[in-house]
Amino acid sequence: MNTDKTRITIIGMGLIGGSLGLAIKKALGDQVRLTGVDREEETLRLALEQGAADHVTSDAGSGAIQADIIFLCIPVLQMVPVIKQIVPALKPGAILTDVGSTKCQITETILSIIPPEVHYVPGHPMAGKEKNGITAADQDLFLGKWFIITPYPSVSPQAAQTLADLIKQIGAKVTVMDMETHDWCTAIISHVPHVAAAAMVNLLEYSPDFESSLKLAGGGFKDTTRIASSSPDMWADICMTNGEAINDNLEKLQRILGEVIAAIRTGNRPYIHNFFQIAKRRRDELLVCEQEII
Amino acid sequence: MNTDKTRITIIGMGLIGGSLGLAIKKALGDQVRLTGVDREEETLRLALEQGAADHVTSDAGSGAIQADIIFLCIPVLQMVPVIKQIVPALKPGAILTDVGSTKCQITETILSIIPPEVHYVPGHPMAGKEKNGITAADQDLFLGKWFIITPYPSVSPQAAQTLADLIKQIGAKVTVMDMETHDWCTAIISHVPHVAAAAMVNLLEYSPDFESSLKLAGGGFKDTTRIASSSPDMWADICMTNGEAINDNLEKLQRILGEVIAAIRTGNRPYIHNFFQIAKRRRDELLVCEQEII
């Protein structure tokens, strides 16, 4: 057994965990000893077959023994029971991180259950697909994407740096953001659009003619609702752990729609034109800004 | 002058009109004499340069003289003034059609202003892009796409057949749909998603940190809001001419969002999970159905 190797354990070998495993092995090869943990035997078999892990186990506790870095790649509300299970196995100095889409609530809970000699560094890669599971995993999923680290006052700077260095090695761009800003901005830019996309698909229930609707469904509908094909488990947990910011912005979205309804009812074309024009300008600007920032 | 040629006039050489011109010339070449009409001289220059028209003019009236088929490829509310302008030039038996996204209101108006010897056949190609203008035109835009014809009781079956034959020649699939079904289904599958996409972009106004939001904007946000970059003029007209169906469904969307808000507030995870699961199942099914129907 080569003790010089960095021992990395990924808990949850789905789309993100599997892609992380592939990306780390691609970047670091034999410099790391990568353990994949999942409840599903088939997932573990595929993880090994695809080279997303060197070793696999369905037992999180034994998978975390001696690990230097542990990634939690599971829906946010599943993290606490899993952490309770692995805490006895965590060695002093181990770095625990996660890839959850909400940070404030879960960070507070995690800090209350891990021993002080374990370093928790909250993370959130801005990468995903509407497909789930290890079969959708992709070694290049994080390439050129932002990987957000959301520190808290007592975070270990050294642990955060170690994590950031690893993330950069898989080709992602690391940035630091305070977790309140993260959760609020993510609600607007990601969580509310997911809810709205699902709501638009569910609106089809009221379609007077499903087959006609299918014919009328152009690329616009497919793109707008693409994220509605995401994992219900993951998204239910996100709604449960960032409820305040999501609800506040869903209510704002309702109000914006209400203003459009009122303008349509009164035949106020200038209002509607302005509404679309502002949106177009802002989105076009956003794409330009994004290119500049990258 | 070869009188055997079918004379086609396209009024509005933007994305749809320009693509139609390119597609018709690609399919029929010298069998048609294609006149392009637009208010913008630069658009006309490009239309000629790209081969989207054989002749161009900025005067709709003279462009429509002797035309066998006239396509109106302009925002819905601009159609009536243009038709009034070309009515004196229309020859008996001419087929007038359009590509507007709303049909009931505009058909009623158009039928009230054209002479009985001109045959109006309402059309709606399910093709588009978020880019506008002749520079975005594409000769393959309609390839394999649905082109809806929405007849009314007194429509000329022969004129509808002539139009359908032409449409098939540019590679689109023709289907017939009654216009009430069309307008209601289109509200659900296209108009409401456009409004919602624009609303989500405008929600960014409330972002506490624009640069952070940019970093957090993954592919999901870009896809969900892609159609918010569409033409404000076109979409304002659509809202003005299909207001009842759009508002009814926007109100339903508000209610669906309200139910999500209530479930998040009470921590009702099973409700939220079910909401996302139904959406995922329905969208995944829809994509399968669509493949079968095509």
Side-chain angles (χ1 to χ4, degrees):
Chain A
M1 200 170 68
N2 183 344
T3 49
D4 291 327
K5 289 187 180 186
T6 303
R7 290 162 170 267
I8 297 177
T9 297
I10 299 176
I11 300 179
M13 295 297 285
L15 168 67
I16 299 294
S19 299
L20 203 52
L22 290 171
I24 291 172
K25 287 306 289 182
K26 182 189 173 196
L28 299 170
D30 283 342
Q31 296 171 54
V32 295
R33 182 182 189 276
L34 210 153
T35 302
V37 179
D38 205 279
R39 288 183 300 200
E40 311 251 350
E41 290 295 337
E42 177 63 5
T43 297
L44 294 177
R45 193 186 66 72
L46 289 166
L48 269 184
E49 189 178 294
Q50 296 178 24
D54 300 310
H55 308 269
V56 295
T57 171
S58 60
D59 180 59
S62 65
I65 291 173
Q66 291 300 324
D68 298 301
I69 304 177
I70 303 101
F71 283 94
L72 294 169
C73 300
I74 50 182
V76 181
L77 287 181
Q78 292 174 30
M79 289 181 189
V80 170
V82 167
I83 293 173
K84 285 183 176 164
Q85 205 181 328
I86 64 172
V87 153
L90 295 176
K91 69 175 183 188
I95 298 172
L96 178 69
T97 184
D98 74 303
V99 297
S101 191
T102 63
K103 300 265 74 100
C104 293
Q105 186 177 319
I106 196 69
T107 298
E108 196 180 354
T109 313
I110 289 176
L111 291 178
S112 71
I113 57 171
I114 57 167
E117 63 274 18
V118 169
H119 306 303
Y120 174 56
V121 184
H124 183 203
M126 300 318 299
K129 286 186 191 176
E130 73 279 23
K131 292 185 177 145
N132 316 319
I134 183 86
T135 50
D138 175 359
Q139 63 176 13
D140 295 327
L141 190 67
F142 307 100
L143 224 56
K145 301 286 167 58
W146 287 106
F147 201 110
I148 321 281
I149 290 180
T150 58
Y152 49 91
S154 61
V155 75
S156 154
Q158 203 182 345
Q161 190 58 54
T162 302
L163 177 66
D165 290 344
L166 174 63
I167 295 309
K168 283 177 196 162
Q169 284 180 293
I170 63 169
K173 300 175 297 178
V174 176
T175 188
V176 165
M177 197 178 287
D178 77 87
M179 63 181 74
E180 290 75 18
T181 303
H182 171 276
D183 280 8
W184 206 267
C185 289
T186 318
I188 293 179
I189 207 101
S190 168
H191 306 166
V192 163
H194 266 86
V195 171
M200 278 186 270
V201 175
N202 289 347
L203 188 64
L204 274 177
E205 196 185 320
Y206 300 103
S207 171
D209 183 335
F210 191 70
E211 199 175 314
S212 293
S213 294
L214 273 185
K215 289 180 182 169
L216 293 161
F221 185 78
K222 260 168 264 169
D223 281 1
T224 307
T225 63
R226 184 178 63 79
I227 51 179
S229 287
S230 304
S231 156
D233 259 323
M234 183 175 132
W235 282 94
D237 283 5
I238 286 170
C239 287
M240 289 298 107
T241 54
N242 198 22
E244 193 189 332
I246 294 174
N247 267 2
D248 183 277
N249 287 295
L250 280 176
E251 281 165 4
K252 286 191 178 112
L253 184 65
Q254 278 188 313
R255 274 207 299 280
I256 294 173
L257 296 178
E259 287 160 9
V260 172
I261 291 169
I264 290 178
R265 190 174 294 132
T266 55
N268 188 348
R269 189 182 183 282
Y271 182 95
I272 299 292
H273 187 270
N274 192 47
F275 165 79
F276 282 116
Q277 193 161 55
I278 288 173
K280 178 178 167 56
R281 199 178 298 145
R282 189 169 283 146
R283 185 172 182 281
D284 293 349
E285 271 171 20
L286 190 134
L287 295 185
V288 172
C289 285
E290 194 200 39
Q291 279 162 1
E292 283 170 2
I293 228 174
I294 287 169
Chain B
M1 200 171 66
N2 184 344
T3 50
D4 291 327
K5 289 189 180 185
T6 304
R7 289 161 170 267
I8 297 176
T9 298
I10 299 175
I11 301 179
M13 296 297 283
L15 168 67
I16 299 294
S19 299
L20 203 53
L22 290 171
I24 291 173
K25 287 306 289 181
K26 181 189 173 195
L28 299 169
D30 283 344
Q31 296 171 52
V32 295
R33 181 181 189 277
L34 211 153
T35 302
V37 179
D38 205 279
R39 290 182 299 200
E40 311 252 350
E41 290 296 338
E42 176 64 5
T43 296
L44 294 177
R45 194 186 64 72
L46 288 167
L48 270 183
E49 189 180 293
Q50 295 178 24
D54 301 310
H55 308 268
V56 294
T57 171
S58 59
D59 180 58
S62 65
I65 291 173
Q66 291 301 323
D68 299 300
I69 304 177
I70 303 101
F71 284 93
L72 295 169
C73 301
I74 50 183
V76 181
L77 288 181
Q78 292 175 30
M79 289 180 189
V80 170
V82 168
I83 293 173
K84 285 183 176 162
Q85 204 182 330
I86 65 172
V87 152
L90 293 177
K91 69 176 182 187
I95 298 171
L96 178 69
T97 184
D98 74 304
V99 297
S101 190
T102 63
K103 299 266 73 100
C104 293
Q105 186 177 320
I106 196 69
T107 298
E108 196 180 357
T109 314
I110 288 177
L111 291 178
S112 72
I113 56 172
I114 57 168
E117 63 274 18
V118 168
H119 307 303
Y120 173 56
V121 184
H124 182 203
M126 301 317 300
K129 286 185 191 176
E130 74 279 22
K131 292 184 176 145
N132 316 318
I134 183 86
T135 51
D138 175 0
Q139 64 176 12
D140 295 327
L141 190 67
F142 307 100
L143 224 56
K145 301 285 166 62
W146 286 107
F147 201 110
I148 321 282
I149 290 180
T150 58
Y152 48 92
S154 61
V155 76
S156 155
Q158 204 181 345
Q161 190 58 53
T162 302
L163 177 66
D165 290 344
L166 174 62
I167 295 309
K168 284 176 195 161
Q169 285 180 292
I170 62 167
K173 300 174 297 179
V174 175
T175 189
V176 165
M177 196 179 289
D178 78 86
M179 63 181 73
E180 290 76 17
T181 303
H182 171 277
D183 281 9
W184 206 267
C185 289
T186 318
I188 293 180
I189 207 98
S190 169
H191 306 166
V192 163
H194 266 85
V195 171
M200 279 186 271
V201 175
N202 289 346
L203 188 63
L204 274 177
E205 197 186 319
Y206 299 103
S207 170
D209 182 337
F210 191 69
E211 199 176 311
S212 292
S213 294
L214 273 185
K215 290 181 181 170
L216 292 162
F221 186 79
K222 260 168 262 167
D223 281 0
T224 307
T225 63
R226 183 177 64 80
I227 51 181
S229 288
S230 305
S231 155
D233 259 324
M234 181 175 131
W235 282 94
D237 284 5
I238 287 171
C239 287
M240 289 298 108
T241 54
N242 198 23
E244 193 188 332
I246 294 175
N247 267 1
D248 183 277
N249 286 295
L250 281 176
E251 281 166 3
K252 287 192 179 111
L253 183 65
Q254 279 189 312
R255 274 206 299 282
I256 293 173
L257 296 179
E259 286 159 10
V260 171
I261 290 169
I264 290 177
R265 191 173 294 132
T266 55
N268 188 348
R269 189 182 183 283
Y271 182 96
I272 300 293
H273 186 269
N274 191 47
F275 165 79
F276 281 116
Q277 193 160 53
I278 288 172
K280 176 176 169 57
R281 200 178 297 146
R282 189 169 282 145
R283 185 172 182 281
D284 292 349
E285 269 171 22
L286 190 135
L287 295 185
V288 172
C289 285
E290 194 200 40
Q291 279 164 1
E292 282 170 2
I293 227 173
I294 287 169

